Amino acid sequence: MSRVGKKPISIPNGVTVSIEPGSVEVQGPKGKMRQVIPPGVRFELSDNQLSAYPIRDNDRSLGKFHGLARSLAANAVQGVTEGFTKELDIVGIGYRAEGSGKQVVFALGYSHPINFDIPAGIEIAVEKQTHIIVRGIDRQQVGQVAADIRVLRKPDPYKLKGVRYTGEVLKKRVGKTGV
């Protein structure tokens, strides 16, 4: 059995969990989320705790799915109660972003502005034109949207300009010296 999979998930007040074949549905104050479960794992709900169990205890190949299923269910519970956030910073002269309806418009040093459509279930807040906050209940979707925004202008290793995660430490490269 997986060490991660053995830990029970505590269900906070105001959150309802329904277990269905092949998925777990979690509903809370921030929304409703359905998480598909990998094969070979079953869930049991008792005393406000959700526990994952492998279908066959003696099959070691199910250990990876056991831990994965537990992590996915725990992320769903955390998403509907607290939500997930990723923060990005825009660094560079003239680089900025502004929100307008269902789009965020980026000026990142290209000859044209970049229109980024906000997907359903995601909120993007632009603060001070250089600080972006991505929020949502689905951890995977929040991370993917933040990564998509970062790809618009990756941080340059020589000048350190571009879009980066808040707190990301970049190692500055030294260019050619041209002796």
Side-chain angles (χ1 to χ4, degrees):
M1 285 178 60
S2 166
R3 253 186 262 168
V4 172
K6 288 180 185 178
K7 293 184 205 172
I9 303 164
S10 62
I11 308 296
N13 293 335
V15 176
T16 59
V17 177
S18 64
I19 301 167
E20 299 169 7
S23 68
V24 171
E25 190 170 301
V26 184
Q27 188 169 0
K30 290 210 178 244
K32 183 178 182 180
M33 193 170 161
R34 177 186 208 87
Q35 185 62 55
V36 178
I37 305 289
V41 180
R42 63 181 168 82
F43 278 93
E44 289 181 7
L45 182 65
S46 62
D47 299 332
N48 285 339
Q49 286 193 338
L50 187 65
S51 301
Y53 299 102
I55 291 177
R56 294 183 301 275
D57 285 335
N58 57 1
D59 192 357
R60 292 188 50 85
S61 66
L62 294 179
K64 57 188 169 195
F65 294 125
H66 182 209
L68 172 69
R70 189 257 178 217
S71 295
L72 292 174
N75 287 342
V77 170
Q78 184 181 350
V80 297
T81 54
E82 302 165 14
F84 293 100
T85 62
K86 285 273 189 179
E87 297 185 16
L88 298 127
D89 289 324
I90 301 174
V91 179
I93 296 173
Y95 290 11
R96 64 183 172 275
E98 59 183 70
S100 59
K102 287 291 193 180
Q103 282 189 340
V104 178
V105 180
F106 291 95
L108 297 174
Y110 297 117
S111 62
H112 59 283
I114 300 168
N115 296 325
F116 184 83
D117 294 326
I118 301 172
I122 295 290
E123 289 179 23
I124 296 181
V126 179
E127 296 178 356
K128 300 183 292 184
Q129 294 185 342
T130 59
H131 188 74
I132 301 166
I133 300 173
V134 181
R135 291 187 186 98
I137 63 171
D138 188 357
R139 182 176 185 173
Q140 296 171 10
Q141 189 179 19
V142 168
Q144 186 61 51
V145 169
D148 290 344
I149 291 173
R150 185 177 184 270
V151 164
L152 296 176
R153 181 68 129 187
K154 283 187 179 177
D156 180 27
Y158 297 102
K159 296 181 181 177
L160 302 181
K161 299 189 319 184
V163 181
R164 64 174 85 159
Y165 296 113
T166 300
E168 181 180 7
V169 178
L170 300 173
K171 184 176 177 185
K172 185 171 182 171
R173 288 180 141 177
V174 180
K176 294 183 180 179
T177 55
V179 176

